[in-house]
Amino acid sequence: MVTMDEIVALCKRRGFIFQSSEIYGGLNSCWDYGPLGVEMKNNIKRLWWKANVQLRDDVVGLDSSILMNPKVWEASGHLSNFADPMADCKVCKKRWRTDQLQEYKCPECGGELTEARMFNLMFKTFMGPVEDESAVVYLRPETAQGIFVNFVNVQQTMRKKLPFGIAQIGKSFRNEITPGNFIFRTREFEQMEIEYFVKPGTDDYWHRHWIDQRINWYYKLGIRKENLRIREHGKNELAHYAKACVDIEYLFPMGWSELEGIANRTDFDLTQHQKYSGENLSYFDDETKQRYIPYVIEPSAGVDRSLLAFLIDAYEYQQIDKDDFRVVLHLHPAIAPVKAAVFPLLKKEELVKKAREIYNELKYKWIVQYDESGSIGKRYRRQDEIGTPFGITVDYQTLEDETVTIRDRDTMEQVRVHIKEIIPYLEERIEVKF
Ligand code: GAP
């Protein structure tokens, strides 16, 4: 299996992910997505939106603000409950989450730890020019609350009947005590969340529905089945709002770890917001003529963790011949940052002109690259390493019969295709049928 160091090195070398503020020595656990990383991230978000919003009649989208009225966090329980137990090593001064320790001593130097105290994970800041208690606001630690406080707005304006969901993608912030493992646990990250509102009593059914939907999304996008598993939370692990929760775990280099959580949040959040805001957040059921607070099933995924899992799963250091090796990312074409690269076989004017024509047409549809420098073999390898699924080469035969070769990244086999057929050929292989 690939190591995390190999993934970090590839990400830096090929422009996927850089350390944040690197020229100043970086900032702990903060990362910047480079030109290829941002494309890959956008693809993941688009494919999540497509499967969960565009293709479903029962889910609509939302983009709520990161800063919210602080009462939201009082009502949701984050001000009192969103905390981890933390202790400092008296010798090396490192800080640890005590609920993750095997023994109550410093895992690094074996030193004695201070007594554990609760540490709230929300980032605090001030709104406006005066920095006093009345100006305190928080950076959201989950996108979910923006959905709950808009439940009535969305339900009424969209005239939605239960069951229906609201989906949102956006940044969240947590002052994690022990961030690490590259982009696995950071203090600023992006979430893809759905709050799916259902009639109480039907919640177990919908919980199972969403577990199936979400694991199939990863399968469809090429994650190997043996690297994914489902793990149910024990009662002592459940978040303060949850009746049940299932994690989809991925076999990361540091072991099985959470990729996504799918929780049954019951009517906890809407009940709390109704109580704290004084607004009626119940739903009138036309069929039964009853009013009630819906239950909520919440599939909550991390964009950054998904991207990391897709990279790890796709990575291969492959021996091709006795002394010939390549690094190849077997990314699903829909996830790959660059869909195709166009090459003139040689840097000759007539080949360059034709290759550029093809490149200029393809870039209206996808992110594609043009490359004329170095041997054709080297150019293929550069694309293999960033996961570009198709290499299109213009050679002398192209000038005679308007055909090009298309090389498949994984098999390295080439087929001859008419120029007019390039777009349909690629489209068929890039499009995902969820
Ligand atoms: N609204 C529910 C919620 O936020 P969570 O299990 O705390 O639940 C959901 O987070 C997902 O968000 C996780 O499965 C993970 O993919 C991502 N996530 C959470 N904390 C993260 C962090 N510090 N860094 C990167 N991703 C994180």
Side-chain angles (χ1 to χ4, degrees):
M1 190 194 206
V2 62
T3 65
M4 197 67 97
D5 286 346
E6 283 169 310
I7 290 290
V8 175
L10 172 79
C11 283
K12 180 172 164 69
R13 185 168 74 243
R14 299 309 314 271
F16 282 87
I17 300 171
F18 308 120
Q19 197 183 9
S20 161
S21 353
E22 191 179 357
I23 59 167
Y24 290 102
L27 180 65
N28 189 15
S29 100
C30 293
W31 301 93
D32 295 342
Y33 287 81
L36 297 187
V38 67
E39 295 301 340
M40 189 170 162
K41 210 176 182 207
N42 285 341
N43 292 341
I44 292 170
K45 290 191 276 185
R46 252 196 304 268
L47 289 159
W48 183 89
W49 199 265
K50 184 167 185 183
N52 296 301
V53 181
Q54 191 178 334
L55 293 174
R56 290 190 68 122
D57 300 336
D58 57 349
V59 180
V60 289
L62 181 77
D63 184 14
S64 69
S65 69
I66 288 173
L67 300 174
M68 301 172 78
N69 188 314
K71 277 231 157 88
V72 169
W73 309 114
E74 235 177 276
S76 69
H78 283 84
L79 270 175
S80 46
N81 292 323
F82 193 60
D84 284 335
M86 177 206 79
D88 295 327
C89 173
K90 289 181 181 170
V91 183
C92 72
K93 308 291 176 213
K94 280 237 163 85
R95 184 158 280 188
W96 302 100
R97 261 180 74 173
T98 54
D99 58 336
Q100 290 179 340
L101 298 178
Q102 307 292 349
E103 289 176 272
Y104 202 77
K105 63 179 188 185
C106 176
E108 195 133 302
C109 73
E112 195 187 334
L113 297 180
T114 59
E115 227 171 82
R117 59 197 167 89
M118 295 311 277
F119 174 78
N120 195 291
L121 300 181
M122 280 198 295
F123 277 98
K124 227 182 204 182
T125 187
F126 301 96
M127 188 169 250
V130 184
E131 296 193 0
D132 63 15
E133 270 307 300
S134 67
V136 167
V137 287
Y138 300 90
L139 302 188
R140 68 180 177 201
E142 60 171 14
T143 71
Q145 297 305 324
I147 298 179
F148 291 124
V149 300
N150 276 296
F151 168 69
V152 174
N153 283 339
V154 174
Q155 190 263 321
Q156 290 185 352
T157 54
M158 298 289 108
R159 299 168 52 237
K160 282 290 179 199
K161 293 203 184 315
L162 293 190
F164 80 94
I166 305 177
Q168 164 153 251
I169 299 177
K171 287 260 175 148
S172 294
F173 302 82
R174 295 181 192 176
N175 203 358
E176 299 280 3
I177 299 165
T178 46
N181 285 316
F182 193 30
I183 53 170
F184 179 82
R185 181 171 287 110
T186 52
R187 294 188 171 116
E188 172 180 345
F189 55 95
E190 216 165 348
Q191 290 186 307
M192 307 184 279
E193 299 199 293
I194 302 164
E195 305 306 322
Y196 194 77
F197 301 94
V198 305
K199 185 176 177 184
T202 65
D203 46 314
D204 290 339
Y205 167 84
W206 286 109
H207 196 194
R208 276 192 303 278
H209 167 88
W210 279 106
I211 296 165
D212 290 347
Q213 290 290 311
R214 292 303 306 138
I215 199 151
N216 279 323
W217 184 82
Y218 295 103
Y219 291 157
K220 274 265 162 167
L221 293 171
I223 296 248
R224 279 172 284 174
K225 289 199 170 167
E226 66 268 26
N227 289 339
L228 283 177
R229 74 175 188 193
I230 281 174
R231 189 181 70 80
E232 203 161 319
H233 280 214
K235 288 276 172 251
N236 56 348
E237 272 184 275
L238 289 175
H240 62 273
Y241 48 72
K243 163 180 158 186
C245 186
V246 158
D247 282 348
I248 297 178
E249 295 190 331
Y250 179 75
L251 187 55
F252 288 97
M254 66 280 187
W256 288 102
S257 310
E258 177 185 340
L259 185 57
E260 166 162 357
I262 302 152
N264 181 342
R265 288 183 83 127
T266 68
D267 56 1
F268 175 84
D269 300 89
L270 289 178
T271 305
Q272 286 292 104
H273 287 304
Q274 175 164 285
K275 190 165 134 198
Y276 279 73
S277 68
E279 296 286 328
N280 184 353
L281 302 184
S282 64
Y283 170 83
F284 182 71
D285 191 327
D286 273 338
E287 272 173 30
T288 61
K289 307 292 176 213
Q290 286 172 317
R291 249 187 195 286
Y292 52 81
I293 304 260
Y295 265 41
V296 174
I297 304 302
E298 177 195 64
S300 174
V303 181
D304 314 81
R305 273 186 204 181
S306 299
L307 186 138
L308 184 59
F310 281 121
L311 279 178
I312 291 166
D313 218 70
Y315 186 98
E316 188 185 7
Y317 183 66
Q318 192 181 44
Q319 180 160 21
I320 293 168
D321 244 324
K322 195 163 155 279
D323 298 315
D324 193 10
F325 295 86
R326 68 169 181 162
V327 171
V328 54
L329 291 184
H330 301 286
L331 291 170
H332 189 292
I335 299 270
V338 178
K339 304 299 184 218
V342 185
F343 316 113
L345 182 64
L346 299 166
K347 221 163 150 181
K348 297 278 188 233
E349 198 185 329
E350 59 278 32
L351 297 180
V352 166
K353 184 166 171 276
K354 198 78 198 165
R356 282 215 168 266
E357 272 172 30
I358 294 170
Y359 166 69
N360 284 333
E361 200 176 326
L362 292 183
K363 70 183 183 187
Y364 274 92
K365 299 226 35 127
W366 300 289
I367 299 289
V368 286
Q369 286 189 352
Y370 172 83
D371 188 2
E372 59 179 28
S373 67
S375 73
I376 191 74
K378 282 220 176 84
R379 284 181 270 166
Y380 284 149
R381 294 297 159 83
R382 278 202 286 270
Q383 296 297 331
D384 291 343
E385 205 184 21
I386 62 168
T388 307
F390 306 106
I392 300 166
T393 304
V394 170
D395 54 19
Y396 283 105
Q397 192 179 328
T398 313
L399 305 178
E400 286 165 20
D401 65 5
E402 293 274 297
T403 64
V404 293
T405 63
I406 302 186
R407 173 186 176 270
D408 181 285
R409 170 201 65 201
D410 299 333
T411 62
M412 294 186 284
E413 277 167 14
Q414 302 188 17
V415 288
R416 277 209 95 84
V417 170
H418 194 277
I419 289 176
K420 284 202 188 111
E421 289 302 312
I422 298 175
I423 287 181
Y425 182 94
L426 265 54
E427 235 160 23
E428 199 188 316
R429 285 157 181 82
I430 292 169
E431 182 97 350
V432 191
K433 296 270 180 289
F434 286 111

